[in-house]
Amino acid sequence: MQLVRNIRRFKLNETPPVRYTEKKIDIFKESDNQWKDVKAVYMDVAGDAISRNFSNASGTQVYKDSSNRNDITEIKVAHDKKFLYFRITTVLPVTAHNGKDVTWMNILISTNKTGRNFAGYQYVLNRKPSKNKTTSVEQSLGGYNWKSSE
């Protein structure tokens, strides 16, 4: 019982959200220096972009993916008053978008607000990138249903 009590105390402990300092990133400048002091860094172990062919938890669908692409090792996130910036590092160069794949290099964003969402996320970026090197921003209508936020 002590273990259960301690886990509940730890997991249910409300901690104040972390506030990162604002930082403007010049997206047209390919400079590592402007990302050096970014504190929001998320690491991932290389080698987990592997083929899969498995049923989902409910057994209603099979997930198949043999692309083995875009093995992400690090994500850095910065923001200023107007924009969010993401820098994603992969083991190999990022593969080109094939023009129709809505699961290629998506970023899901939670605003920590209640309401319509997909698995707790209110926005998805990059499901429908355009050919002119701009991305898409979509808001959840509830579940995996999205509408353009542009």
Side-chain angles (χ1 to χ4, degrees):
M1 285 307 275
Q2 181 183 6
L3 175 63
V4 171
R5 186 173 55 248
N6 288 337
I7 289 172
R8 284 184 180 154
R9 188 176 335 140
F10 174 76
K11 291 185 97 173
L12 300 176
N13 187 13
E14 288 292 324
T15 57
V18 175
R19 299 257 184 229
Y20 294 106
T21 4
E22 290 184 13
K23 175 151 180 84
K24 183 170 180 59
I25 301 290
D26 183 349
I27 62 171
F28 300 104
K29 189 189 291 184
E30 291 188 35
S31 168
D32 290 340
N33 286 335
Q34 62 181 340
W35 288 94
K36 276 187 179 177
D37 59 346
V38 170
K39 303 287 186 224
V41 180
Y42 306 91
M43 306 296 290
D44 188 31
V45 177
D48 60 351
I50 57 175
S51 295
R52 54 183 184 228
N53 184 359
F54 300 101
S55 295
N56 65 6
S58 62
T60 58
Q61 186 177 358
V62 175
Y63 296 117
K64 292 183 182 181
D65 183 358
S66 58
S67 63
N68 305 351
R69 64 188 175 181
N70 304 329
D71 192 357
I72 296 170
T73 55
E74 180 184 76
I75 301 172
K76 289 188 174 191
V77 183
H79 77 283
D80 59 24
K81 289 195 183 319
K82 193 170 180 184
F83 297 104
L84 281 172
Y85 306 94
F86 297 91
R87 180 179 182 166
I88 300 173
T89 305
T90 56
V91 173
L92 298 171
V94 174
T95 60
H97 185 256
N98 68 11
K100 58 185 178 209
D101 186 356
V102 294
T103 63
W104 176 85
M105 297 297 288
N106 293 165
I107 298 174
L108 292 161
I109 297 177
S110 172
T111 60
N112 291 327
K113 294 185 179 169
T114 57
R116 296 178 296 184
N117 68 80
F118 165 70
Y121 298 98
Q122 287 77 28
Y123 296 91
V124 62
L125 307 182
N126 212 44
R127 266 183 12 109
K128 299 177 181 176
S130 69
K131 293 184 192 301
N132 66 359
K133 297 189 178 187
T134 60
T135 192
S136 61
V137 178
E138 294 172 274
Q139 186 174 11
S140 177
L141 295 173
Y144 199 74
N145 301 299
W146 304 94
K147 72 171 183 172
S148 176
S149 290
E150 298 173 43

